[in-house]
């Protein structure tokens, strides 16, 4: 980098524009490529001498308002505008409106993770998409619409989350983190407002102002059909979808939790098979007995393992 990167960046963008690109009319021959400094100053609504000092490196601390005006006058795209702010040493404040639906490729990615529960959250902890195994995993809950409401309001939560206190704290900390990034996001404000009124536990945790984002964490769950699950929760930002986070629950390979997830996946397959047969004219008794038998055998096995 040179000593006047900001000025050189402005000069380069100015040289790429012609008067007719920005709605100006030129009446005489031009000795410079692109726009004149005075023309950029007019377009940006600032003093031409001030703009000259910016290009010459004699002014190095433009305000965000000045930078916004210049990026507009020089027709910068988002990437160029962000770079302009970096060169000026100024934080770029942008508000990215979260997307509330997943794209086709993300939907395919969820379904491709058939062996592990995978789902997508928005910043308000709404579950906006999930694969079949995640749907089966969360089957004890009455409504799988919002992970925060599931945690604090559903009667199934204390049994499903053996370390409920820790999980609840992580949920609230994540909401706090999201609120810091976008305090004006309507859905997030709605979820927080409703939970503060409906759950004393949520209100107390929210008042603690704990904040952190979660990328990887150990998660302990207990499903009524397959028993305890020790999983690693990994979270990934969805590229190109503002605010969306892909969450994947993975067991240690070959562990009891891995076998339990395999069983849950088998139950999903059999349930879907029975549903398809039922739509075609009724499920045969043998298929129904096998489906119920899988669950019963697993319950007996876990009971026998208990001391």
């Amino acid at each position: 980098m040179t000593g006047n990167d900001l000025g050189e960046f402005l000069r380069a963008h100015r040289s790429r524009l012609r008067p007719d690109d920005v709605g100006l009319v030129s009446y005489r021959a031009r000795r410079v490529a692109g726009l004149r400094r005075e023309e950029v100053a007019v377009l940006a609504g600032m003093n031409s001498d001030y703009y000259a000092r910016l290009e010459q490196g004699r002014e190095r601390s433009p305000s965000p308002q000045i930078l916004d005006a210049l990026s507009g006058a020089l027709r910068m795209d988002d990437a160029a505008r962000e770079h302009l702010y970096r060169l000026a040493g100024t934080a770029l404040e942008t508000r990215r409106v979260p997307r509330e639906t997943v794209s086709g490729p993300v939907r395919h990615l969820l379904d491709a993770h058939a062996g592990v529960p995978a789902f997508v959250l928005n910043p308000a902890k709404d579950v906006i998409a999930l694969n079949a195994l995640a749907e089966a995993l969360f089957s004890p809950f009455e409504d799988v619409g919002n992970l925060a409401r599931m945690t604090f309001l559903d009667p199934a939560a204390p049994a499903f989350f053996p370390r409920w206190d820790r999980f609840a704290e992580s949920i609230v900390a994540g909401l706090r983190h999201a609120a810091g990034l976008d305090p004006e996001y309507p859905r997030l404000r709605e979820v927080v407002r409703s939970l503060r009124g409906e759950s004393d536990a949520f209100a107390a945790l929210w008042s603690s102002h704990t904040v952190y984002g979660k990328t990887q964490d150990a998660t302990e769950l207990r499903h009524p059909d397959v028993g305890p699950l020790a999983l690693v929760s990994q979270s990934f930002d969805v590229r190109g979808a503002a605010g969306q986070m892909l969450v994947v629950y993975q067991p240690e390979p070959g562990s009891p939790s891995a076998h339990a997830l395999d069983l849950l996946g088998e139950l999903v397959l059999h349930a879907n098979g029975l549903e398809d047969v039922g739509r075609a004219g009724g499920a045969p008794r043998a298929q129904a007995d096998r489906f119920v038998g899988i669950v019963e055998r697993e319950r007996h096995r876990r009971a026998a393992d208990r001391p």
Side-chain angles (χ1 to χ4, degrees):
M1 295 180 69
T2 67
N4 186 26
D5 292 295
L6 174 61
E8 291 181 6
F9 186 68
L10 291 171
R11 191 178 306 116
H13 272 269
R14 174 168 63 86
S15 69
R16 297 172 191 165
L17 293 174
R18 296 179 302 176
D20 55 345
D21 292 332
V22 293
L24 295 177
V25 179
S26 181
Y27 296 101
R28 52 193 171 91
R30 307 179 70 84
R31 294 180 297 171
V32 297
L35 298 179
R36 299 186 179 93
R37 287 175 178 168
E38 296 81 4
E39 290 169 333
V40 175
V42 170
L43 290 169
M46 65 183 62
N47 182 277
S48 60
D49 182 60
Y50 179 82
Y51 177 76
R53 295 202 307 272
L54 282 173
E55 276 202 7
Q56 294 164 358
R58 294 185 290 129
E59 172 58 59
R60 297 176 179 268
S61 301
S63 68
Q65 291 78 16
I66 291 292
L67 295 173
D68 274 344
L70 286 173
S71 65
L74 294 171
R75 302 299 193 266
M76 292 184 185
D77 60 19
D78 289 344
R81 179 171 175 261
E82 184 177 350
H83 188 64
L84 175 68
Y85 268 73
R86 280 200 300 268
L87 292 177
T90 301
L92 174 61
E93 295 183 1
T94 58
R95 182 174 184 269
R96 302 181 306 159
V97 179
R99 287 184 55 180
E100 305 298 342
T101 58
V102 299
S103 65
V106 173
R107 179 72 261 178
H108 295 323
L109 181 63
L110 286 173
D111 293 337
H113 282 79
V116 293
F119 52 98
V120 176
L121 301 174
N122 67 11
K125 302 297 183 184
D126 289 323
V127 182
I128 56 179
L130 69 171
N131 65 7
L133 195 54
E135 190 172 354
L137 180 67
F138 292 134
S139 61
F141 294 90
E142 183 178 344
D143 184 358
V144 191
N146 181 277
L147 191 57
R149 295 187 63 83
M150 292 160 60
T151 302
F152 286 94
L153 301 181
D154 197 296
F160 187 81
F161 301 112
R163 302 183 66 179
W164 183 89
D165 291 349
R166 179 179 174 182
F167 191 85
E169 183 181 81
S170 74
I171 289 291
V172 177
L175 289 173
R176 269 285 181 197
H177 179 71
L181 295 175
D182 188 0
E184 300 304 319
Y185 178 33
R187 176 57 181 160
L188 178 58
R189 292 163 64 93
E190 175 188 346
V191 169
V192 171
R193 181 172 59 251
S194 66
L195 280 172
R196 290 181 71 183
E198 296 177 73
S199 169
D200 292 340
F202 178 89
L205 284 170
W206 185 257
S207 299
S208 70
H209 290 265
T210 302
V211 177
Y212 57 83
K214 187 171 71 171
T215 56
Q216 178 173 320
D217 197 10
T219 300
E220 296 180 18
L221 308 175
R222 178 177 287 276
H223 192 279
D225 289 333
V226 298
L229 296 162
L231 306 171
V232 174
S233 169
Q234 298 212 10
S235 304
F236 310 90
D237 290 332
V238 178
R239 193 73 179 267
Q244 290 186 7
M245 179 175 292
L246 170 66
V247 182
V248 179
Y249 285 161
Q250 293 182 304
E252 182 71 24
S255 66
S257 295
H259 294 310
L261 278 182
D262 288 342
L263 173 64
L264 189 60
E266 189 173 351
L267 297 180
V268 170
L269 290 175
H270 282 286
N272 290 340
L274 288 176
E275 191 174 290
D276 291 340
V277 173
R279 281 196 294 264
R285 178 70 183 178
Q287 287 181 296
D289 288 344
R290 185 182 177 203
F291 176 71
V292 173
I294 292 171
V295 177
E296 289 303 316
R297 284 196 301 273
E298 179 61 19
R299 285 175 176 164
H300 286 314
R301 184 192 66 77
R302 294 204 317 268
D305 290 342
R306 294 194 191 104

